[in-house]
């Protein structure tokens, strides 16, 4: 009798448990996310950088003013004809362009042409009760991440004394002081944010600026003088999108680009060089960078908008307007292979590309040449994935209740003739070799932050975190 009652109670307990799970359908997803988090954290713990690599990062710096896009465009209807422009010439272009990228959930960055318009936009931004300031610019953000990961860093930038105080310990600055810093206005929006019935598919930002210092890469000369003594193991070049649509004198932009190229060429062959891509809209600028800067880089970092842009320029000679904000893995892997095939060929004094890092909302993909000095490709993908979540959530702890996955349950390694790879919760990192191309490829899922605090600077933090474990 007692045994029967015991069995009955056990059965009831089991049914109640199953009912609770059935009544809470999110529990299965939460369990999956928790398993992925545990697996990634265990892998991350195996590869802790302890050698304090020396990393030099250029160029430029700014203050980021974070505001809500809805505040900047309060009482403004969603544009009837959203469109993309080379820069911001007036308020109408701002509204139409913000709407264009908001609807796609894509990030973009544009120069504001008029000084008076820029002042008005800054004043509006400062009235946002939720506004906040932060360290800005590709180079300082990457430098700060490198320092937090234990590297010794040389930053090429002109900073005001106040902005220099925002840098963490371990960052040495070469570039000189300025009285006032350039400011970037970061117009942010949330995932599923609604604007007149139009819903953003993901959290992202639209950045506007009126930089006068950064487009000239004014820290270049002092940075160049400091490099030999610092003797970096890695040189990172970024921030060159600030040149986009800036009113240079004829030939002035190319002159600065060639000086940057010469700095890259002057690096010892034992010093690796990384170029961080960005939002480029001026086709002539991207063409100059593709001709003079990219051929001097061993490594390239980019997001899901920048890879198709570079791929299109290399294969078709044109810049793309916008790409899918959540591309399929097979598609981007094919693009990465084509970009690698073109840029990995030794020509004259160029440095053949041996590493490409693609960071997207859903996953991290890193391709490295077999036999190259880049180590720990899997660890780099994992570190980048966790850093993406930590940065966007502004939380060092990765919590299941603040995370979700949008990576598919399986993916193909190519659109044509690829093999199907299942996603395994307990082994979320996937790596393989491709003998025909001579490369290793690793894919790690991103734990997307469900409560995004910040998106600007995400790519810089992600790229830096991946690089630091591969030097």
């Amino acid at each position: 009798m007692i045994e029967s009652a015991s069995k009955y109670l056990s059965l009831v307990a089991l049914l109640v448990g199953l009912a609770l799970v059935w009544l809470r359908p999110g529990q299965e997803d939460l369990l999956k996310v928790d398993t992925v988090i545990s697996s990634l954290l265990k892998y991350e713990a195996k590869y802790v950088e302890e050698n304090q690599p020396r990393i030099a990062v250029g160029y430029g710096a700014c203050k980021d003013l974070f505001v809500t896009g809805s505040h900047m465009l309060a009482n403004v209807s969603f544009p009837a004809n959203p469109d993309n422009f080379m820069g911001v010439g007036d308020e109408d272009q701002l509204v139409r362009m913000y709407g264009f990228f908001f609807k796609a959930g894509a990030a973009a960055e544009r120069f504001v042409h008029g000084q008076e318009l820029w002042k008005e936009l800054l004043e509006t931004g400062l009235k946002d009760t939720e506004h906040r300031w932060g360290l800005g610019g590709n180079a300082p953000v990457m430098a700060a991440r490198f320092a937090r990961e234990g590297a010794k860093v040389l930053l090429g930038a002109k900073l005001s004394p106040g902005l220099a105080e925002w840098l963490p310990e371990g960052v040495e600055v070469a570039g000189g002081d300025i009285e006032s810093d350039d400011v970037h206005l970061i117009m942010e929006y949330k995932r599923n944010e609604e604007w007149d019935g139009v819903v953003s598919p993901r959290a992202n930002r639209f950045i506007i600026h009126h930089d006068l210092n950064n487009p000239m890469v004014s820290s270049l000369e002092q940075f160049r003088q400091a490099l030999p003594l610092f003797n970096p193991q890695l040189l990172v070049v970024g921030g060159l999108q600030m040149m986009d649509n800036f009113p240079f004198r004829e030939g002035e932009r190319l002159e600065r680009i060639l000086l940057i190229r010469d700095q890259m060429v002057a690096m010892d062959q034992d010093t690796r060089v990384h170029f961080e891509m960005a939002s480029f809209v001026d086709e002539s600028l991207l063409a100059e960078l593709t001709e003079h800067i990219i051929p001097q880089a061993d490594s390239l970092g980019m997001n899901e908008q920048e890879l198709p842009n570079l791929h299109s320029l290399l294969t078709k000679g044109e810049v793309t307007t916008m790409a899918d904000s959540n591309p399929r893995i097979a598609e981007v892997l094919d693009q990465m292979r084509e970009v690698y095939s073109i840029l990995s060929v030794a020509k004259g004094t160029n440095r053949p590309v041996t590493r490409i890092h693609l960071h997207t909302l859903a996953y991290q993909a890193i391709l490295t040449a077999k036999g190259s000095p880049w180590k720990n490709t899997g660890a780099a993908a994992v570190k980048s994935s966790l850093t993406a979540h930590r940065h966007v959530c502004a939380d060092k702890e990765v919590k299941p209740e603040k995370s979700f996955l949008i990576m598919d349950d399986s993916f193909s390694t190519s659109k044509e003739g690829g093999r199907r790879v299942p996603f395994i919760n307990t082994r979320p990192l996937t790596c393989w070799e491709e003998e025909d191309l001579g490369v290793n490829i690793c894919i790690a899922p991103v734990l997307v932050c469900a409560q995004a605090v910040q998106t600007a600077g995400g790519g810089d933090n992600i790229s830096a975190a991946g690089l630091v474990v591969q030097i």
Side-chain angles (χ1 to χ4, degrees), residues 7 83 87 117 135 143 191 223 271 289 291 381 383 408 415:
K7 287 181 179 178
D83 204 350
L117 174 60
L135 178 69
R191 176 174 174 263
F223 186 55
T271 299
L289 297 177
E291 181 180 356
K383 184 74 174 179
D408 294 333
K415 289 197 296 184

Side-chain angles (χ1 to χ4, degrees), residues 162-386:
L163 185 57
E165 293 177 1
W166 294 3
L167 292 168
E169 290 186 17
V171 179
E172 175 187 344
V173 180
D177 295 338
I178 54 175
E179 291 185 9
S180 61
D181 300 291
D182 287 332
V183 175
H184 289 188
L185 194 56
I186 318 293
M187 300 169 59
E188 298 184 305
Y189 52 87
K190 303 291 186 182
R191 176 174 174 263
N192 292 331
E193 184 173 326
E194 187 174 339
W195 181 14
D196 284 351
V198 178
V199 179
S200 61
R202 58 173 286 188
N204 225 319
R205 72 279 181 189
F206 184 70
I207 304 174
I208 53 177
H209 69 92
H210 188 71
D211 284 12
L212 301 176
N213 181 51
N214 287 322
M216 299 301 299
V217 197
S218 54
S219 61
L220 178 64
E221 284 73 18
Q222 291 192 43
F223 186 55
R224 180 177 59 203
Q225 292 173 7
L227 278 172
L229 183 62
F230 185 73
N231 189 26
Q233 294 164 267
L234 173 69
L235 169 65
V236 177
V237 174
L240 302 189
Q241 77 276 14
M242 293 298 98
M243 293 179 160
D244 213 316
N245 275 285
F246 183 76
F248 289 99
R249 297 194 312 271
E250 186 175 353
E252 189 176 26
R253 186 181 73 190
L254 181 58
E255 179 183 314
R256 301 304 287 172
I257 287 174
L258 293 178
L259 286 173
I260 296 169
R261 179 204 62 187
D262 293 345
Q263 190 169 86
M264 298 168 75
V265 171
M267 291 294 101
D268 187 276
Q269 286 299 312
D270 291 333
T271 299
R272 276 166 274 174
V273 180
H274 173 84
F275 177 58
E276 189 66 22
M277 295 283 292
S279 176
F280 296 104
V281 65
D282 185 339
E283 189 171 310
S284 65
L285 172 59
L286 187 53
E288 288 176 357
L289 297 177
T290 303
E291 181 180 356
H292 302 294
I293 300 299
I294 290 175
Q296 302 305 328
D298 305 284
S299 170
L300 302 174
M302 61 199 75
N303 66 20
E304 74 285 344
Q305 298 293 316
E306 295 149 10
L307 172 63
N309 217 3
L310 178 60
H311 177 266
S312 178
L313 189 67
L314 290 171
T315 58
K316 302 176 184 177
E318 59 188 31
V319 171
T320 57
T321 301
M322 188 192 300
D324 188 346
S325 63
N326 187 22
R328 305 305 291 265
I329 292 176
E331 182 177 2
V332 300
L333 287 178
D334 286 344
Q335 291 178 344
M336 289 173 74
R337 292 184 186 99
E338 280 197 80
V339 169
Y340 175 79
S341 296
I342 294 168
L343 298 178
S344 62
V345 178
K347 295 178 183 178
T349 60
N350 77 317
R351 287 176 177 249
V353 163
T354 53
R355 179 182 183 273
I356 299 175
H357 179 183
L358 172 71
H359 41 89
T360 81
L361 180 67
Y363 51 85
Q364 304 290 320
I366 301 181
L367 175 154
T368 53
K370 292 177 65 176
S372 71
W374 301 106
K375 61 182 182 180
N376 304 331
T377 302
V382 168
K383 184 74 174 179
S384 298
S385 170
L386 292 170

Side-chain angles (χ1 to χ4, degrees), residues 48-54 150 233 375 471:
V48 178
E49 183 56 56
E50 298 177 347
N51 297 322
Q52 282 197 304
R54 296 181 310 281
Q233 294 164 267
K375 61 182 182 180
I471 302 172

